Amino acid sequence: METHGLFHTIHQLSRLLTKLVNETLQPFGLYSAQWAVLFVLKTKGAMPQSALCEYLAVEAPPMTRTIQRLAKQGYIRQVPGEDKRIKVIHLTEKAREAYPEWEQAVLSMNDRLLERVPEEQRTLVQLALYDWLGKLKGDLHE
Amino acid sequence: METHGLFHTIHQLSRLLTKLVNETLQPFGLYSAQWAVLFVLKTKGAMPQSALCEYLAVEAPPMTRTIQRLAKQGYIRQVPGEDKRIKVIHLTEKAREAYPEWEQAVLSMNDRLLERVPEEQRTLVQLALYDWLGKLKGDLHE
DNA sequence: TCCAATTAGTTACTTAGGTAACTAATTGTA
DNA sequence: TACAATTAGTTACCTAAGTAACTAATTGGA
């Protein structure tokens, strides 16, 4: 198991986790990319679209699409900022009402996914990956 | 940094790694999904398309597409098996000739990506993730 | 033996992400 | 101040992976 093994494992994990979250959210008509946005808005409050991109480390075009779908579903509002280029994204009342149910489903799924990983190991892996990601992103901008 | 953090980190890593490999392979007109197939064929030898799917943990339709593109580029041949449903995928001579150059580029990129991660930590994370992935896949089939 | 069930692969359509090229608004500078 | 450069967001088109529904070949059971 050399470098290929690690990369392949990460890709597989990423795909599998997305798939399981999608299954969890299916009853609510949501997909993982939409959930990520809703979660950030609920946790951090309303923010410009560009801030959502930065926070989720996603380029602008996919964010535009996700935002547009959420708007169509009535879960967010796009409020023009005083800088007229900016769209500030707000959760709607409809989203705030439904949110606890979504969150409950996702959190209990997450717990189920992680219950087989010992707490200590989990933290260790998390820190190591986070650190590695940071270094990689740092390398890119130099 | 709770469960969301870990999942988000894994997704970001996966996307970033794919992106960097794609950049590495761009001069050769290859993409990461194609490289994965070429690597397996070179390492394990010719095999049916279904075996490639299983090995790379990818569903049949994306594999069909990748195979078709590789065939169009002249890097693989699809040889009908004695069971006429099966297509056995072989590397062509053209692919074998170019392979060392591809491999050199990818391996040196991989080394560069991992050079900032201490050897010991790397092994530890690799084993932990591999173990976790195995448990998750096990849970699915029960 | 013959027909139902399974298997290998394909086709059509979906989510999710990326880059390049664009528009409109704003900022900075000669 | 006027115009160039930058920024926010969109549009068009790309890779990559997924599901559902299909065809063709093979296997197994009544």
Side-chain angles (χ1 to χ4, degrees), chain A residues 1-20 35 39 55-59 106-107 110-111 113-114 116-118 121-122 124-130 132-133 135-137 139-140, chain B residues 1-20 35 39 55-59 106-107 110-111 113-114 116-118 121-122 124-130 132-133 135-137 139-140:
Chain A
M1 195 161 49
E2 21 41 83
T3 60
H4 282 291
L6 176 56
F7 293 179
H8 189 210
T9 301
I10 290 173
H11 293 313
Q12 262 186 248
L13 263 180
S14 173
R15 278 159 43 210
L16 185 54
L17 292 174
T18 306
K19 187 173 163 179
L20 294 173
W35 165 250
F39 173 76
Y55 202 81
L56 292 171
V58 154
E59 298 298 323
V106 173
L107 288 184
N110 285 1
D111 285 349
L113 296 180
L114 282 165
R116 313 266 308 262
V117 183
Q121 200 181 33
R122 191 188 308 178
L124 205 131
V125 167
Q126 189 160 348
L127 288 176
L129 290 181
Y130 190 77
W132 184 28
L133 178 59
K135 280 174 180 161
L136 287 181
K137 291 208 284 192
D139 287 349
L140 290 184
Chain B
M1 196 162 50
E2 20 44 83
T3 60
H4 282 290
L6 176 56
F7 294 179
H8 189 212
T9 300
I10 290 172
H11 293 314
Q12 272 193 77
L13 263 180
S14 173
R15 278 159 43 210
L16 185 53
L17 292 173
T18 306
K19 187 174 164 180
L20 294 173
W35 165 250
F39 173 78
Y55 202 80
L56 292 171
V58 153
E59 299 298 323
V106 173
L107 287 185
N110 285 1
D111 286 349
L113 296 181
L114 282 164
R116 312 266 310 258
V117 183
Q121 199 182 33
R122 190 188 309 180
L124 206 133
V125 167
Q126 189 160 347
L127 288 176
L129 290 182
Y130 190 77
W132 184 28
L133 178 60
K135 281 173 179 162
L136 286 180
K137 291 208 284 191
D139 288 351
L140 290 185

Side-chain angles (χ1 to χ4, degrees), chain A:
Chain A
M1 195 161 49
E2 21 41 83
T3 60
H4 282 291
L6 176 56
F7 293 179
H8 189 210
T9 301
I10 290 173
H11 293 313
Q12 262 186 248
L13 263 180
S14 173
R15 278 159 43 210
L16 185 54
L17 292 174
T18 306
K19 187 173 163 179
L20 294 173
V21 169
N22 279 337
E23 282 173 11
T24 302
L25 291 169
Q26 192 181 345
F28 309 110
L30 289 175
Y31 288 89
S32 57
Q34 297 166 56
W35 165 250
V37 169
L38 294 168
F39 173 76
V40 171
L41 289 175
K42 184 65 163 47
T43 307
K44 305 279 171 187
M47 63 179 78
Q49 203 164 308
S50 57
L52 278 169
C53 287
E54 195 177 347
Y55 202 81
L56 292 171
V58 154
E59 298 298 323
M63 185 55 71
T64 294
R65 289 190 288 268
T66 304
I67 292 292
Q68 282 171 350
R69 290 181 59 186
L70 285 170
K72 195 177 288 179
Q73 289 171 289
Y75 292 141
I76 57 133
R77 240 173 332 135
Q78 305 170 71
V79 179
E82 73 181 49
D83 177 337
K84 284 169 191 164
R85 291 170 302 179
I86 290 180
K87 296 181 173 181
V88 180
I89 313 298
H90 295 254
L91 282 184
T92 58
E93 200 47 49
K94 182 181 177 191
R96 280 213 184 70
E97 269 169 34
Y99 190 90
E101 208 180 0
W102 304 335
E103 182 180 47
Q104 206 280 322
V106 173
L107 288 184
S108 77
M109 165 57 88
N110 285 1
D111 285 349
R112 219 169 79 225
L113 296 180
L114 282 165
E115 73 188 354
R116 313 266 308 262
V117 183
E119 180 72 30
E120 193 196 342
Q121 200 181 33
R122 191 188 308 178
T123 312
L124 205 131
V125 167
Q126 189 160 348
L127 288 176
L129 290 181
Y130 190 77
D131 186 51
W132 184 28
L133 178 59
K135 280 174 180 161
L136 287 181
K137 291 208 284 192
D139 287 349
L140 290 184
H141 306 155
E142 93 188 3

Side-chain angles (χ1 to χ4, degrees), chain B residues 74-140:
Chain B
Y75 292 141
I76 57 133
R77 242 174 330 138
Q78 305 169 72
V79 179
E82 74 182 49
D83 177 338
K84 284 171 194 163
R85 293 170 302 179
I86 290 180
K87 295 181 174 179
V88 181
I89 313 298
H90 295 255
L91 282 185
T92 59
E93 200 47 47
K94 182 181 175 191
R96 279 211 184 72
E97 268 170 36
Y99 190 89
E101 208 181 1
W102 304 335
E103 184 181 47
Q104 206 280 323
V106 173
L107 287 185
S108 77
M109 164 59 88
N110 285 1
D111 286 349
R112 220 169 79 223
L113 296 181
L114 282 164
E115 73 189 353
R116 312 266 310 258
V117 183
E119 181 73 30
E120 192 195 343
Q121 199 182 33
R122 190 188 309 180
T123 312
L124 206 133
V125 167
Q126 189 160 347
L127 288 176
L129 290 182
Y130 190 77
D131 185 53
W132 184 28
L133 178 60
K135 281 173 179 162
L136 286 180
K137 291 208 284 191
D139 288 351
L140 290 185

